[in-house]
Amino acid sequence: MQKMKMIKRGAASVAIALLLLPLAGTAHATTVKHYGVDWSKYQGNNGKWGYDRDDFSVSQIGGYYNGYFVDQATYGTQVANTIALNKRAHTYIYAQFTGNAQADQMLDYYLPKVQTPKGSIVALDVESGNPTLGSVEYALQKVQDAGYTAVLYGYKGFLVNHLGSAGLQEIASQYPLWLAEYPNYQVTPEPNYNYFPSFNNVQLFQFTSTYAAGGLDGNVDFTGITENGYKGGNAQKPKTSTPATTTGKQLHQATHNYTVKSGDTLSAIASRYGMTVNAMVMLNGIKNANLIYPGQVLRVADSGQGSTVSQKAIPTTTTGTYTVRYGDTLSAIASRCGTSTSTLASINGISNPNWIYPGQVLKLSGGSSTRVYTVRSGDTLSGIASRLGTSWTALKAKNGLANANLIYPGQTLYY
């Protein structure tokens, strides 16, 4: 994960490999494979994705090296950005430890700092040092007792050499394994199962460190274990709230412009609009949270005090649309707008009225002439304008954008 991995070779075929994957109690069987990535500080504050299909990340919270701690400053923002993109975030600790005392020291320090939801994966990355079977089992139990899905990551060869084959089997009978093995260092978007590290209860397979050009760890989830900690696998509604997941959810809210006044501070503005400073910083691309100035235009959530749009207000008929906010239900929106749930579902082609999401734009009637576009990952204002047959300056003016280079996924643009 953190450093360059040695190439290891195996001989398992696809059929044999998949037969050796018991679907243990920490996850459920699924016919859909999930692809995802794992990150450390080398992937930056926002992380790096390989492909559009990727739906989970596992971020390093820090490392422990036989008594020494090395935190990862990128951890919180990587988790928040994953949640904001409607993907699922998980955690790992680079764990070089020997004995229960060091396991306690490591986990007493890192577990309170975990920013992913209870139930999510907290993996121990055991690939160096002199781990012992008893201390690894002790540490995994401690992670599980804290309310997370405890997973052991490593290379089969290293783990067998230090824990013994019978010892690793003992662990695999209780906890999921996440094993790594690569055929080479060429860009590898799909697993090569001829190099699968066959063992019981392998629920995650890290099949390359060159998932994309420039280097990136690529992983596949066979059992749905990466859905743990999220309601229905939905990253926007994790079971618990942490600063990082709260920030991620706040980035889905409808927003409007706020002009900074003399005496304002970012923390005061954030509090006024029910946001965290971290969310304000990410939303507005602010490099220094202590440096804002009168006349500066910031985007703030619609749901806070002093907002120009009340959270319970009936949407205006000038647009004929409503942008779903976090916590909304279709029936509540229908009630506020003086219509029925079935009518809204029919107008918007919604097959399941229990499934709407923050940032979704709903038509309130069939006759609205105003058109809307929801920004997607990778969009630019000029690119959107070209596709919609208008100009970026017209879009900027119509939507009151202070910075044409600052748009974000889920944002609603009128044209």
Side-chain angles (χ1 to χ4, degrees), residues 45 60 85 93 116 139 153 160 168 172 194 211 216 224 297 370 376 404:
N45 287 329
Q60 187 187 149
L85 291 172
I93 303 167
T116 53
Y153 168 91
V160 167
L168 185 58
N194 290 315
Y211 190 41
L216 181 67
V297 177
T370 300
R376 306 179 186 120

Side-chain angles (χ1 to χ4, degrees), residues 89-412:
H90 300 276
T91 301
Y92 78 90
I93 303 167
Y94 191 91
Q96 181 178 302
F97 67 102
T98 304
N100 292 4
Q102 287 196 349
D104 278 332
Q105 186 182 45
M106 172 179 68
L107 295 174
D108 288 347
Y109 180 80
Y110 280 121
L111 285 177
K113 299 176 183 290
V114 171
Q115 294 290 291
T116 53
K118 285 296 178 75
S120 64
I121 292 169
V122 173
L124 300 182
D125 178 358
V126 179
E127 59 176 279
S128 64
N130 294 292
T132 62
L133 175 61
S135 61
V136 171
E137 287 183 311
Y138 176 82
L140 289 167
Q141 183 66 51
K142 187 159 183 165
V143 171
Q144 182 172 290
D145 289 346
Y148 300 102
T149 298
V151 173
L152 176 62
Y153 168 91
Y155 299 101
K156 178 181 173 181
F158 178 88
L159 293 172
V160 167
N161 286 340
H162 287 79
L163 307 178
S165 182
L168 185 58
Q169 179 55 53
E170 183 176 316
I171 289 175
S173 69
Q174 305 171 73
Y175 305 99
L177 300 183
W178 174 13
L179 297 185
E181 194 161 328
Y182 322 139
N184 51 48
Y185 293 121
Q186 298 173 0
V187 173
T188 306
E190 293 289 341
N192 182 342
Y193 291 105
N194 290 315
Y195 293 84
F196 184 84
S198 302
F199 211 83
N200 288 337
N201 207 13
V202 180
Q203 296 196 28
L204 283 161
F205 175 30
Q206 186 181 97
F207 57 88
T208 182
S209 64
T210 46
Y211 190 41
L216 181 67
D217 289 342
N219 304 272
V220 60
D221 162 16
F222 299 109
T223 66
I225 190 173
T226 58
E227 295 181 16
N228 287 7
Y230 296 90
K231 294 181 179 178
N234 178 7
Q236 292 176 13
K237 297 181 180 179
K239 291 179 181 177
T240 53
S241 180
T242 68
T245 58
T246 296
T247 295
K249 289 184 289 186
Q250 286 184 356
L251 295 180
H252 281 281
Q253 295 182 101
T255 60
H256 65 276
N257 284 345
Y258 174 82
T259 303
V260 176
K261 303 177 179 66
S262 179
D264 273 344
T265 64
L266 196 64
S267 59
I269 297 170
S271 176
R272 191 180 315 156
Y273 291 95
M275 301 181 71
T276 66
V277 172
N278 191 33
M280 288 285 291
V281 165
M282 292 171 65
L283 182 62
N284 291 280
I286 295 170
K287 290 184 170 52
N288 184 345
N290 296 313
L291 184 60
I292 59 173
Y293 53 87
Q296 182 178 4
V297 177
L298 302 175
R299 297 298 291 182
V300 296
D302 281 353
S303 58
Q305 297 177 358
S307 168
T308 57
V309 180
S310 169
Q311 188 166 11
K312 294 187 178 295
I314 296 176
T316 62
T317 56
T318 56
T319 64
T321 63
Y322 176 81
T323 302
V324 176
R325 301 164 189 156
Y326 191 81
D328 273 343
T329 63
L330 197 65
S331 59
I333 295 169
S335 176
R336 295 204 299 270
C337 297
T339 184
S340 68
T341 302
S342 58
T343 298
L344 278 184
S346 176
I347 291 172
N348 292 278
I350 296 172
S351 58
N352 184 354
N354 296 316
W355 174 239
I356 59 174
Y357 54 89
Q360 183 178 6
V361 178
L362 301 178
K363 292 184 291 185
L364 302 180
S365 68
S368 174
S369 60
T370 300
R371 296 170 295 174
V372 296
Y373 177 85
T374 302
V375 178
R376 306 179 186 120
S377 179
D379 273 345
T380 63
L381 199 65
S382 59
I384 295 169
S386 177
R387 290 201 300 274
L388 300 179
T390 184
S391 68
W392 69 266
T393 52
L395 282 179
K396 182 174 181 289
K398 190 172 185 67
N399 291 278
L401 302 178
N403 185 346
N405 295 315
L406 183 60
I407 57 175
Y408 54 91
Q411 183 177 3
T412 299

